[in-house]
Amino acid sequence: PDHNCAVRDDELSLPLSLSLTRDDIVKVVLNPQDVPEGPIEQRLDVKYTSASDYWLYCLTTSVEPRLFIDFSADSCVIIKNRDRFQRLLTLQSALHFSRTSHCHGRAIYVDPLLPTTAVIDIPMSKQFGYTYQNEYRFIWRPTIPSFNLPHIDLELGSLKDFAELVVL
């Protein structure tokens, strides 16, 4: 609770409001004959929740001054060879994350009041208010749903050949 909202956002759930038409409602109710005729639009508030905990490693693809403030940072590491970093992270993670599926990519920013789809991948998704973070995510999901996963530190070794530490 002592962290700001950029740091303490919930990575296991995403509240959304879906706009349903009459046709959408008819498809999902047990009594479609009772749905009134004519134009109907209904707002449905839902909270998407991950079926399992997962391991997540987040980076940014840009250097925004606001990130230093939001994360109380006095330094950053600029990775100059993303492919090499990705290979090294994937190689080291294979030693620690057995029985997981692994994916990575840019975060998907979702408008909570007007999502473009009802299919939401929680680990890859964030509310669009965080778009400025330009997040790139590495995700390891247990093949069997699990909760209260332990924190794991990955040691990649020296990055000096393809990354630079910038101290403010």
Side-chain angles (χ1 to χ4, degrees), residues 8-145:
R8 72 169 183 255
D9 57 323
D10 181 359
E11 301 293 355
L12 292 173
S13 66
L14 188 64
L16 299 174
S17 295
L18 303 174
S19 179
L20 302 176
T21 65
R22 181 185 188 285
D23 291 339
D24 295 329
I25 295 168
V26 166
K27 290 177 192 174
V28 297
V29 297
L30 294 174
N31 54 342
Q33 69 280 359
D34 292 340
V35 178
E37 294 294 330
I40 296 175
E41 192 160 317
Q42 181 67 43
R43 179 176 140 173
L44 176 64
D45 294 327
V46 295
K47 184 175 186 178
Y48 284 78
T49 303
S50 177
S52 175
D53 282 355
Y54 51 89
W55 288 279
L56 173 66
Y57 184 68
C58 304
L59 299 98
T60 182
T61 59
S62 65
V63 180
E64 294 291 329
R66 180 176 174 184
L67 295 175
F68 290 93
I69 295 165
D70 283 355
F71 293 95
S72 301
D74 62 0
S75 60
C76 71
V77 175
I78 297 176
I79 299 168
K80 297 176 181 177
N81 186 331
R82 293 178 187 176
D83 290 336
R84 187 168 171 194
F85 178 80
Q86 176 187 316
R87 282 192 308 273
L88 190 57
L89 182 62
T90 301
L91 177 68
Q92 290 302 313
S93 69
L95 302 172
H96 297 279
F97 298 113
S98 63
R99 298 186 186 112
T100 63
S101 63
H102 171 66
C103 68
H104 57 89
R106 291 184 179 272
I108 300 161
Y109 295 97
V110 180
D111 183 339
L113 297 177
L114 195 59
T116 57
T117 180
V119 179
I120 304 292
D121 181 13
I122 294 296
M124 287 302 289
S125 301
K126 291 187 78 152
Q127 287 198 4
F128 79 135
Y130 297 108
T131 303
Y132 72 95
Q133 293 178 352
N134 295 307
E135 217 173 285
Y136 193 91
R137 294 179 158 210
F138 290 86
I139 297 160
W140 296 267
R141 303 175 210 230
T143 52
I144 298 171

